């Protein structure tokens, strides 16, 4: 039907005849001559309809926004003074000889060039939203990212293998989406949170290098970088060490950014232990663009009487830390109150501070701190006149979460950051973290992560001290990929289950197929999974992963386009042996 895309026509096509198809992006009537900007996925081209061509002109008069047209005509130069340097086709226009209206359109509910659309409107009319040039560019970028990754992995000998979408419900950290079985009454499949167990079994089966760009499902509360279904670049390989896997994946991400955005990422990526990341930044995915760091004050505060600091310093698992803000002394009382409210979101009970003014120190807490302690704080933080020091004092998790978030917020708001891309490997994660509510250890990553060499015995004697062969790739404060060397010996896997308080019978019931497979010559293996949605969101400069997914869900896990989830007929429920309870009235 067409000879090329609208957005591809440029000066090279001068004086040639082209046939194009697309949507009416804009229609203008200038003194009897009609101009239509015709749009397709590659961009716009200006079509001109002269009244001398009566039949074609009459049809052009009928065309309205989002009509689908087919045009044929000669490519000519635009008149002097009308060139549009922002368009690839900006030097030319089409002198249309023939026009066919392939399909009219109802008036669209919004203008495609409107930049202030609510997300509800956009997601309700997602088909039209996807016609917008920015959304077209985002999804084309997503395609290029996926193709770059596939090309790299193919060249490195990885094989694309599909794994099941209907599988067994296993405890992997998040809530499963369950699918009732009609054939097996009372039994359920689960949609996979990840292909973790299957890719490990593929390694046992001898498929040396596997990858898959696949959907994963987690029934959890959502936010900007989460969806109930998301796309994961899943990778596993045998007979490579922890460092070899990281080197291979780092090379892939460098190649991806170079090929799709012509950006040279550092070589090599810096590496930082989990302990250092939490100590300096309060986060295991620190944004290294922000040039602010914590100062540890826990030991110093064990010698003060100020209850807020002393109780945190003496508390098991407590922490006192400071965050110096260069130039922060200019912050108003309202600014500080707003930041105090902000850290409260993360559990902080307050936000103590000291202003370092030209004429001395200013703070309501100075009267509670000995002079030598204050001097030590100034020395340790490196504060100079004009700076402000914020303090966090509580359980380490609260301090890390609150000051860590405050660090990023202030860094971005006050411009205390570098531009560009700051990748990082975070390594040497703890094997476990303690769940205060359940009073037991839980896996920090997942229960199939291998302990560091020599840490196997700690699994029984001191689980909290055991480190793992886990590694996360972080970029500008986002974790874009996480992985580990896996446990390949059944006896080590059983020890980990023991540390997690998973009894042998329970382990056999939930993971028996994996435990059995590990007994048949499982090779040393490991891998990583990248969040494709997150990577593309960052590269596109989008605010939410919903802007790089064709048909996303809302933060309430709803599809406004299709109105899913929805009620189903009683007949379908009966076939599944399911009866719905009536919701109790309040």
């Amino acid at each position: 039907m067409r000879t090329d895309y609208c957005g591809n026509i440029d000066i090279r096509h001068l004086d040639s005849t082209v046939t194009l198809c697309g949507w009416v992006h804009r229609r203008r009537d200038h003194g009897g001559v009609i101009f239509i900007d015709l749009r397709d996925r590659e961009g716009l081209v200006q079509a001109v309809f002269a009244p001398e061509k009566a039949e074609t002109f009459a049809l052009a008069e009928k065309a309205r926004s989002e009509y689908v047209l087919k045009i044929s005509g000669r490519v000519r130069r635009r008149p002097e003074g009308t060139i549009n340097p922002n368009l690839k086709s900006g030097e030319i226009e089409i002198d249309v000889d023939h026009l066919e209206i392939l399909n009219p359109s109802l008036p669209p509910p919004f203008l495609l060039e409107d930049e202030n659309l609510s997300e509800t409107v956009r997601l309700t009319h997602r088909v039209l939203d996807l016609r917008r040039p920015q959304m077209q560019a985002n999804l084309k970028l997503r395609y290029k990212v996926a193709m770059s990754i596939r090309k790299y992995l193919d060249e490195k000998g990885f094989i694309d293998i599909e794994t099941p979408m209907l599988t067994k419900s296993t405890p992997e950290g998040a809530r499963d989406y369950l699918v009732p079985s009609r054939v097996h009454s009372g039994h359920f499949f689960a949609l996979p949170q990840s292909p973790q167990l299957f890719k490990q079994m593929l390694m046992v089966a001898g498929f040396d290098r596997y990858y898959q760009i696949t959907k994963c499902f987690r029934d959890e509360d959502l936010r900007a970088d989460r969806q109930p279904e998301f796309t994961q670049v899943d990778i596993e390989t045998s007979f490579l060490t922890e460092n070899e896997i990281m080197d291979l994946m780092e090379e892939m991400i460098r190649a991806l950014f170079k090929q799709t955005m012509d950006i040279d990422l550092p070589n090599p990526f810096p590496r930082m232990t989990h302990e250092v990341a939490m100590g300096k930044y309060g986060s295991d995915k620190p944004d290294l663009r922000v040039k602010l760091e914590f100062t540890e004050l826990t030991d110093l505060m064990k010698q003060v009487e100020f209850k807020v600091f002393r109780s945190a310093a003496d508390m098991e698992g407590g922490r006192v830390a400071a965050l110096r803000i260069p130039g922060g002394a200019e912050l108003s009382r309202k600014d500080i109150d707003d930041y105090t409210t902000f850290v409260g979101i993360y559990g902080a009970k307050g936000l103590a501070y000291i202003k370092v003014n030209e004429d001395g120190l200013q703070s309501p807490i100075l009267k509670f701190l000995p002079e030598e302690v204050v001097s030590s704080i100034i020395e340790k933080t490196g504060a100079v006149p004009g700076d402000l020091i914020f303090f966090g004092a509580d359980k380490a998790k609260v301090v890390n979460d609150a000051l860590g978030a405050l660090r990023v917020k202030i860094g971005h708001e006050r411009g205390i950051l570098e531009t560009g891309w700051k990748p990082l490997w975070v390594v040497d994660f703890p094997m476990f973290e303690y769940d205060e509510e359940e009073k037991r250890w839980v896996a920090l990553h997942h229960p199939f992560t291998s302990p560091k060499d020599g840490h196997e015995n700690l699994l029984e004697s001191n689980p909290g001290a055991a480190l793992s062969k886990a590694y996360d790739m972080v970029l500008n404060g986002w974790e874009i990929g996480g992985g580990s060397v896996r446990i390949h010996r059944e006896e080590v896997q059983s020890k980990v289950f023991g540390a997690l308080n998973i009894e042998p019978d329970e382990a056999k019931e939930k993971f028996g197929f994996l435990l059995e497979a590990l007994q048949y010559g499982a090779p040393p293996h490991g891998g990583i999974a990248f969040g494709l949605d997150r990577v593309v969101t960052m590269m596109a400069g989008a605010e939410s992963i919903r802007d790089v997914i064709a048909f996303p869900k809302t933060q309430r896990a709803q599809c406004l386009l299709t109105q899913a989830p929805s009620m189903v007929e009683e007949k379908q429920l009966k076939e599944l042996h399911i009866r719905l309870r009536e919701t109790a009235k309040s």
Side-chain angles (χ1 to χ4, degrees):
M1 292 182 72
R2 61 187 173 188
T3 58
D4 209 329
Y5 286 101
C6 299
N8 288 343
I9 307 302
D10 58 18
I11 199 69
R12 296 171 301 172
H13 298 81
L14 196 64
D15 294 325
S16 63
T17 298
V18 295
T19 300
L20 307 173
C21 298
W23 288 262
V24 175
H25 187 70
R26 192 178 295 107
R27 177 186 175 279
R28 308 180 301 283
D29 191 333
H30 288 179
V33 178
I34 295 175
F35 294 86
I36 288 179
D37 291 337
L38 200 63
R39 183 193 73 245
D40 61 19
R41 76 174 203 190
E42 296 301 321
L44 301 173
V45 70
Q46 179 171 282
V48 184
F49 301 84
E52 292 79 14
K53 302 171 184 178
E55 184 178 346
T56 299
F57 187 82
L59 285 173
E61 286 186 309
K62 296 179 181 179
R64 293 294 181 267
S65 181
E66 299 310 307
Y67 273 42
V68 185
L69 307 184
K70 177 182 176 181
I71 65 170
S72 295
R74 184 176 64 88
V75 180
R76 69 187 187 191
R77 290 184 184 274
R78 291 195 185 193
E80 190 173 343
T82 65
I83 290 174
N84 185 345
N86 298 319
L87 291 179
K88 181 179 178 181
S89 63
E91 294 182 76
I92 57 90
E93 60 188 16
I94 312 299
D95 180 14
V96 180
D97 296 315
H98 176 77
L99 167 63
E100 181 181 352
I101 297 178
L102 298 177
N103 210 352
S105 170
L106 293 173
F110 55 83
L111 297 175
L112 266 61
E113 57 264 34
D114 189 347
E115 297 293 333
N116 298 311
L117 295 171
S118 73
E119 189 173 59
T120 298
V121 170
R122 291 179 54 206
L123 295 183
T124 300
H125 304 282
R126 188 61 163 183
V127 174
L128 297 179
D129 183 48
L130 288 174
R131 290 182 185 176
R132 295 193 304 126
Q134 185 57 57
M135 293 303 299
Q136 296 259 317
N138 287 355
L139 292 189
K140 286 164 68 176
L141 175 61
R142 185 186 178 104
Y143 159 74
K144 291 177 181 177
V145 167
M147 288 304 296
S148 174
I149 289 171
R150 289 187 183 279
K151 183 174 182 290
Y152 176 87
L153 293 172
D154 180 68
E155 290 174 351
K156 297 297 182 180
F158 285 80
I159 301 171
D160 184 350
I161 304 176
E162 294 181 349
T163 53
M165 285 291 113
L166 294 175
T167 184
K168 182 181 178 67
S169 179
T170 56
E172 294 185 43
R175 188 183 294 110
D176 284 327
Y177 274 102
L178 299 178
V179 181
S181 170
R182 180 185 60 81
V183 177
H184 302 281
S185 175
H187 290 68
F188 294 80
F189 293 105
L191 300 181
Q193 295 185 30
S194 77
Q196 180 63 48
L197 301 180
F198 286 105
K199 68 181 182 182
Q200 287 193 248
M201 289 188 287
L202 285 171
M203 294 301 102
V204 180
F207 291 96
D208 188 1
R209 294 189 171 193
Y210 141 95
Y211 86 96
Q212 188 182 186
I213 299 180
T214 186
K215 286 289 187 186
C216 301
F217 306 85
R218 294 178 186 175
D219 186 7
E220 57 186 353
D221 294 335
L222 307 181
R223 58 182 185 227
D225 59 345
R226 282 184 180 170
Q227 283 279 290
E229 53 179 325
F230 57 94
T231 304
Q232 185 166 290
V233 182
D234 203 51
I235 300 169
E236 197 80 2
T237 181
S238 300
F239 306 115
L240 289 184
T241 66
E242 189 177 351
N243 287 329
E244 288 170 334
I245 294 172
M246 292 167 68
D247 289 343
L248 194 65
M249 295 300 97
E250 182 179 315
E251 182 185 336
M252 182 183 80
I253 297 300
R254 268 196 302 273
L256 168 64
F257 271 75
K258 184 63 176 177
Q259 291 169 12
T260 58
M261 299 182 71
D262 196 26
I263 288 173
D264 293 305
L265 294 181
N267 184 10
F269 292 178
R271 299 188 181 187
M272 181 182 297
T273 66
H274 177 268
E275 182 180 15
V276 170
M278 299 304 294
K280 284 187 173 184
Y281 309 109
S283 172
D284 58 6
K285 46 182 182 294
D287 187 346
L288 295 188
R289 295 173 302 169
V290 177
K291 309 306 338 176
L292 299 173
E293 294 184 4
F294 292 2
T295 300
E296 186 61 52
L297 299 176
T298 306
D299 288 342
L300 178 65
M301 293 307 167
K302 290 182 177 180
Q303 57 185 281
V304 306
E305 297 301 322
F306 184 38
K307 186 177 179 181
V308 174
F309 288 174
R310 179 65 178 269
S311 60
D314 288 341
M315 180 193 309
E316 184 178 357
R319 184 180 192 190
V320 182
L323 181 67
R324 178 178 72 89
I325 311 300
E330 67 184 27
L331 290 173
S332 68
R333 181 67 229 185
K334 183 182 182 304
D335 293 330
I336 294 173
D337 288 343
D338 288 344
Y339 287 137
T340 302
T341 301
F342 174 76
V343 297
I345 297 171
Y346 300 90
K349 300 178 184 68
L351 188 61
Y353 69 92
I354 295 176
K355 282 188 176 184
V356 185
N357 298 320
E358 293 289 347
D359 57 354
L361 304 180
Q362 175 189 350
S363 171
I365 68 169
L366 287 173
K367 59 187 175 184
F368 302 111
L369 299 176
E371 186 176 329
E372 63 273 16
V373 169
V374 174
S375 297
S376 184
I377 291 171
I378 299 300
E379 180 184 352
K380 286 176 178 290
T381 60
V384 297
D387 292 350
L388 178 144
I389 305 168
F390 280 126
F391 298 89
D394 209 311
K395 292 181 179 178
K397 183 177 186 338
V398 173
V399 172
N400 293 339
D401 290 349
L403 276 192
L406 183 65
R407 168 185 172 269
V408 174
K409 181 178 177 65
I410 290 178
H412 283 264
E413 288 181 351
R414 296 183 60 80
I416 312 173
L417 77 164
E418 297 177 1
T419 58
W421 301 91
K422 292 289 185 179
L424 169 73
W425 284 108
V426 177
V427 298
D428 292 353
F429 284 82
M431 281 285 291
F432 312 105
E433 58 184 347
Y434 195 73
D435 189 315
E436 293 288 350
E437 291 185 7
E438 297 190 14
K439 303 300 181 186
R440 68 181 185 91
W441 293 103
V442 296
L444 190 64
H445 278 75
H446 56 63
F448 318 109
T449 301
S450 175
K452 284 281 189 184
D453 294 338
H455 286 227
E456 294 90 348
N457 293 332
L458 294 173
L459 299 175
E460 295 175 338
S461 61
N462 188 6
L467 299 181
S468 67
K469 294 182 180 179
Y471 35 81
D472 282 358
M473 185 184 289
V474 177
L475 184 62
N476 290 7
W478 285 39
E479 178 201 326
I480 62 170
S484 66
V485 172
R486 323 301 186 188
I487 297 167
H488 69 281
R489 300 201 313 272
E490 188 273 337
E491 66 272 17
V492 177
Q493 185 66 75
S494 294
K495 282 185 178 181
V496 170
F497 285 152
L500 294 172
N501 203 27
I502 298 175
E503 298 295 333
D505 289 345
E506 182 185 0
K508 184 176 181 181
E509 177 190 350
K510 294 179 176 177
F511 307 107
F513 52 93
L514 174 64
L515 295 175
E516 181 178 349
L518 293 179
Q519 298 179 70
Y520 291 100
H525 60 281
I528 194 169
F530 290 94
L532 183 70
D533 309 305
R534 290 187 181 185
V535 173
V536 179
T537 299
M538 297 190 73
M539 297 175 85
E543 292 185 3
S544 164
I545 64 172
R546 291 188 290 277
D547 286 337
V548 300
I549 299 172
F551 302 104
K553 307 293 188 293
T554 68
Q555 285 188 312
R556 296 187 63 196
Q558 293 175 300
C559 175
L560 298 183
L561 176 68
T562 64
Q563 299 299 306
S566 61
M567 302 292 289
V568 298
E569 295 180 1
E570 183 68 24
K571 177 184 175 183
Q572 293 174 274
L573 295 177
K574 284 183 178 179
E575 288 176 340
L576 295 170
H577 314 286
I578 290 176
R579 179 185 299 162
L580 298 180
R581 291 181 179 178
E582 288 189 17
T583 304
K585 295 181 180 180
S586 57

